[in-house]
Amino acid sequence: MAPSSPPQTPPSAVVIVLLLLFSTALLCESRLSLDYYSKTCPSFTKIMQDTIANKQITSPTTAAGTLRLFFHDCLPNGCDGSILISSTAFNKAERDADINLSLPGDPFDLIVRAKTALELACPNTVSCSDILAVATRDLVTMLGGPYYNVYLGRKDSRVSSASSLEGKLPKPTMSMSQLINLFSSSGFTVQEMVALSGAHTIGFSHCKEFSSNISNDTHYNPRFAQALKQACSGYPNNPTLSVFNDIMTPNKFDNLYYQNLPKGLGLLESDHGLYGDPRTKPFVELYARDQNKFFQDFAKAMQKLSVYGIKTGRRGEIRHRCDAVN
């Protein structure tokens, strides 16, 4: 009697095993963690803290600019550092889209400084998108805002196209329904949108974004409207003229932005809309009277935004320079 041969593994079973092994490898490679750089770049946290503190001390508007830069990177196509890539003769990048031309230079400079220091300490290890996410959180905290966890391990996008932003970023002239739909399309609720709008507690807006509405919008406090007209009177000849979003405490992260809205002290048309629309007004009133609740919800929404549409594993890269793909 011939010896029996060992049972053959069905080809389908081999395929399943290989797929499981491949999926496990991808999962391990793509998993985010709070201590992602603890072994590969032990000095990551200290380098980030030193660079951020030095830049904010010398340029106090860096915090608000970085928060805005982070938002403009993440909401359209995910937190992948694509906003940092410079245009070339063959490609108009996101940072040169019309809606991004007013982004200030200080946050870009901060990211370049941090990346340069990290490349010296840990070459080709830390992504630009992780740098931007941590810098944003640390600067919010420096101005008195809430601390929230930032999970690390993002990879950077290999592409950046100005045309990809169309209709994906909020504009001051959008109706509340348009804004709600825009955030909803990215998975954010009305309450999360209102909480994220609290970022306007710091920073400024250029006169061109609201000056045409001052005379027509009855939501403005009359004295405030008059002051805005004066402040922006020379803006046609000087497009850099701007006004603080929160005139009461412009350099402190707090809930006064929401307290300003019922008083007619909102700067943008969209600010007035938050208080005027029954879908958003209850959250404005909630955050106006309870700063702790605002901080709690802002932190949760920022943590959610910070992992929105991220690239991990082979879907992205670690750029050697943040303004150019490898």
Side-chain angles (χ1 to χ4, degrees), residues 54 87 161 183 207 211 225 291:
N54 290 335
S87 295
S161 172
F183 277 85
C207 289
S211 57
Q291 179 168 280

Side-chain angles (χ1 to χ4, degrees), residues 180-318:
I180 289 172
N181 289 338
L182 188 151
F183 277 85
S184 176
S185 67
S186 298
F188 290 88
T189 66
V190 172
Q191 184 165 3
E192 288 170 334
M193 182 191 78
V194 178
L196 289 170
S197 298
H200 285 174
T201 186
I202 56 175
F204 56 85
S205 294
H206 289 93
C207 289
K208 67 177 181 180
E209 295 177 328
F210 60 86
S211 57
S212 61
N213 300 321
I214 299 175
S215 299
N216 306 323
D217 193 334
T218 57
H219 297 102
Y220 282 108
N221 176 294
R223 290 177 63 189
F224 183 49
Q226 192 58 39
L228 289 177
K229 286 180 183 178
Q230 280 188 302
C232 294
S233 59
Y235 114 83
N237 299 319
N238 182 6
T240 63
L241 283 178
S242 56
V243 176
F244 287 122
N245 291 323
D246 172 5
I247 60 168
M248 308 305 282
T249 54
N251 296 312
K252 183 181 178 184
F253 198 99
D254 54 25
N255 69 332
L256 259 65
Y257 163 75
Y258 299 105
Q259 295 181 22
N260 290 339
L261 299 184
K263 302 171 185 174
L265 300 178
L267 190 60
L268 305 174
E269 188 176 337
S270 54
D271 295 331
H272 299 156
L274 286 177
Y275 187 68
D277 193 290
R279 293 168 291 184
T280 51
K281 183 177 180 178
F283 301 120
V284 172
E285 294 174 329
L286 170 62
Y287 297 147
R289 66 175 179 265
D290 190 341
Q291 179 168 280
N292 288 334
K293 179 61 175 169
F294 163 49
F295 277 16
Q296 178 185 346
D297 288 355
F298 180 83
K300 286 181 181 177
M302 284 294 286
Q303 192 168 333
K304 178 177 176 178
L305 179 60
S306 73
V307 293
Y308 171 67
I310 58 170
K311 292 174 174 58
T312 55
R314 295 176 178 83
R315 294 194 300 134
E317 65 180 8
I318 303 292

Side-chain angles (χ1 to χ4, degrees), residues 138-168:
D138 287 0
L139 285 163
V140 165
T141 306
M142 281 182 70
L143 294 192
Y147 181 91
Y148 54 92
N149 286 328
V150 174
Y151 288 85
L152 302 170
R154 297 165 190 76
K155 295 293 176 67
D156 298 322
S157 173
R158 296 185 178 92
V159 296
S160 177
S161 172
S163 61
S164 71
L165 302 184
E166 191 60 41
K168 294 182 179 180

Side-chain angles (χ1 to χ4, degrees), residues 62-132:
T62 299
T66 304
L67 181 54
R68 188 168 170 228
L69 181 65
F70 172 78
F71 187 80
H72 280 231
D73 181 47
C74 294
L75 190 63
N77 301 305
C79 300
D80 58 8
S82 53
I83 189 73
L84 304 170
I85 297 174
S86 296
S87 295
T88 67
F90 310 101
N91 178 61
K92 184 178 180 181
E94 290 177 24
R95 67 192 291 175
D96 289 321
D98 289 346
I99 198 168
N100 285 332
L101 292 178
S102 61
L103 289 171
D106 282 325
F108 288 99
D109 179 61
L110 168 63
I111 305 305
V112 168
R113 291 187 186 196
K115 179 63 171 173
T116 302
L118 287 164
E119 281 297 304
L120 289 172
C122 327
N124 198 33
T125 301
V126 180
S127 69
C128 302
S129 44
D130 275 350
I131 293 172
L132 178 55

